[in-house]
Each structure stands twice: as structure tokens, then as C-alpha cells.
């Protein structure tokens, strides 16, 4: 009886680990899409609205994603209180937030260092720079989506096989 309960617990644990990994990959894709939409909004506000980054941060406090909304709220409040230092505020806020997200290091750094890419004086140069970053994130999201189905199948298979192997090994 105890062996059967142990086998069931091992299998459930391994399948649960596999589902957690699948959920992380889907969460990564969601974050990439959200970051791309944020960059698209920033690009259009710079190119067509002729807004500055502090003004755009205030506008982005109205986005749907609560986590990103809170980041932009803190950046907007801190930049209004300090009056300067937006690149440092942005970098510190997003490095802290994105550190715990299931993103690759390159993706985290690109988004956290966004204000460093805005070294151009005219809006078109800034918008083009953000557009290149937006295209890169769209490409990464596309690649992740293409590989997600195969990765999901592989992770499920490996987690089940690991559970079976542990069960056989422990019997």
C-alpha cells in the first residue's frame, strides 16, 4: 500500500515539475509580447506624439498588465520627485522586476537598458532605435512560440519518464 502511494506521489511530483516548466515558458512568451507592446507604444508616442520618456512613463501607468503598470507608476513618481535621473530609475526598477521573470538574460538587459538607446536628439532616431529593439523582441517571441509546442511535448515526456525511472529505481 505504501509503495503504491509512494509511486503515485513520485509521478505526480514529476508531472507537476514538468507543468511548472511549461508554465514558465508560456509566461516568458507572454512577457515578450507585453514588452514588445510597451516598446511599440513608446515608439509611437515618441515619433507621433513627440512626448518625452517621463511623459510616456506616466501614460504607461494605464496599461493592462498590473506588474508593468506598477513599475511605470514607481518610475513616474520617482522621476517627478527627483526631477532627473530617469535612466537610472528605469534601469533599477526593471532590473529588480525582471530578475524574477522567466526571461533570458539578454532580453532582461535589453529592456532594462532602454533609456541608454535613446541617445539621439531627434525623435526619429529615438523611434528607429526603439523600433529595432521592438523587432528583435518580436523575433524572439516568434521563435519561442514556434518552439513552444515541441518543447511542451518534450518536457511532458521527460517529466513522465523521470517519474517512471525514479519509481523503478526506488522499488
Amino acid at each position: 500500500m505504501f509503495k503504491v502511494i509512494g509511486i503515485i506521489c513520485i509521478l505526480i511530483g514529476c508531472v507537476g515539475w514538468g507543468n511548472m516548466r511549461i508554465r514558465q515558458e508560456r509566461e516568458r512568451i507572454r512577457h515578450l509580447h507585453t514588452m514588445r507592446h510597451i516598446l511599440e507604444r513608446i515608439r509611437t508616442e515618441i515619433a507621433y506624439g513627440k512626448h518625452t520618456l517621463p511623459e510616456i512613463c506616466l501614460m504607461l501607468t494605464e496599461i493592462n498588465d498590473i506588474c508593468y503598470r506598477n513599475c511605470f507608476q514607481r518610475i513616474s513618481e520617482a522621476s517627478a520627485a527627483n526631477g532627473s535621473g530617469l535612466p537610472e530609475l528605469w534601469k533599477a526598477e526593471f532590473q529588480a522586476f525582471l530578475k524574477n521573470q522567466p526571461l533570458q538574460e539578454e532580453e532582461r538587459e535589453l529592456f532594462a537598458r532602454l533609456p541608454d538607446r535613446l541617445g539621439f536628439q531627434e525623435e526619429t532616431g529615438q523611434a528607429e532605435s526603439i523600433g529595432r529593439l521592438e523587432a528583435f523582441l518580436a523575433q524572439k517571441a516568434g521563435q519561442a512560440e514556434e518552439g513552444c509546442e515541441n518543447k511542451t511535448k518534450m518536457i511532458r515526456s521527460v517529466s513522465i519518464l523521470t517519474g517512471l525511472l525514479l519509481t523503478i529505481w526506488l522499488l
Side-chain angles (χ1 to χ4, degrees), residues 36-48:
R36 188 184 63 75
H37 288 298
I38 289 170
L39 289 175
E40 180 182 16
R41 174 88 187 265
I42 291 172
R43 181 181 50 79
T44 56
E45 291 296 338
I46 287 174
Y48 302 113

Side-chain angles (χ1 to χ4, degrees), residues 41-53 55-56 59 121-127:
R41 174 88 187 265
I42 291 172
R43 181 181 50 79
T44 56
E45 291 296 338
I46 287 174
Y48 302 113
K50 308 293 186 213
H51 295 286
T52 62
L53 197 54
E55 294 171 333
I56 295 170
M59 290 177 197
Q121 292 295 324
E122 72 280 352
E123 295 89 3
T124 55
Q126 291 177 351

Side-chain angles (χ1 to χ4, degrees), residues 126-144:
Q126 291 177 351
E128 287 174 7
S129 178
I130 292 174
R132 286 190 296 273
L133 181 57
E134 181 186 344
F136 177 75
L137 286 179
Q139 177 187 10
K140 293 287 268 188
Q143 290 172 348

Side-chain angles (χ1 to χ4, degrees), residues 17 29 37 68 72 84 97 105 109 132 134 147 157 162 170:
W17 173 83
I29 292 169
H37 288 298
Y68 286 94
F72 285 115
S84 65
F97 168 64
E105 189 62 33
E109 284 300 312
R132 286 190 296 273
E134 181 186 344
S157 299
T162 302
L170 292 174

Side-chain angles (χ1 to χ4, degrees), residues 78-155:
S79 67
N82 295 344
S84 65
L86 182 75
E88 294 82 21
L89 290 170
W90 179 289
K91 184 176 178 182
E93 186 66 39
F94 278 106
Q95 279 183 336
F97 168 64
L98 295 174
K99 176 179 62 174
N100 299 322
Q101 304 306 321
L103 295 167
Q104 295 175 352
E105 189 62 33
E106 178 185 25
E107 297 159 354
R108 286 185 194 110
E109 284 300 312
L110 284 174
F111 197 76
R113 295 182 183 269
L114 175 71
D116 297 341
R117 299 177 67 93
L118 301 177
F120 300 101
Q121 292 295 324
E122 72 280 352
E123 295 89 3
T124 55
Q126 291 177 351
E128 287 174 7
S129 178
I130 292 174
R132 286 190 296 273
L133 181 57
E134 181 186 344
F136 177 75
L137 286 179
Q139 177 187 10
K140 293 287 268 188
Q143 290 172 348
E145 285 176 337
E146 287 175 8
C148 186
E149 184 67 31
N150 291 334
K151 213 176 218 182
T152 298
K153 289 178 185 176
M154 189 262 314
I155 289 172

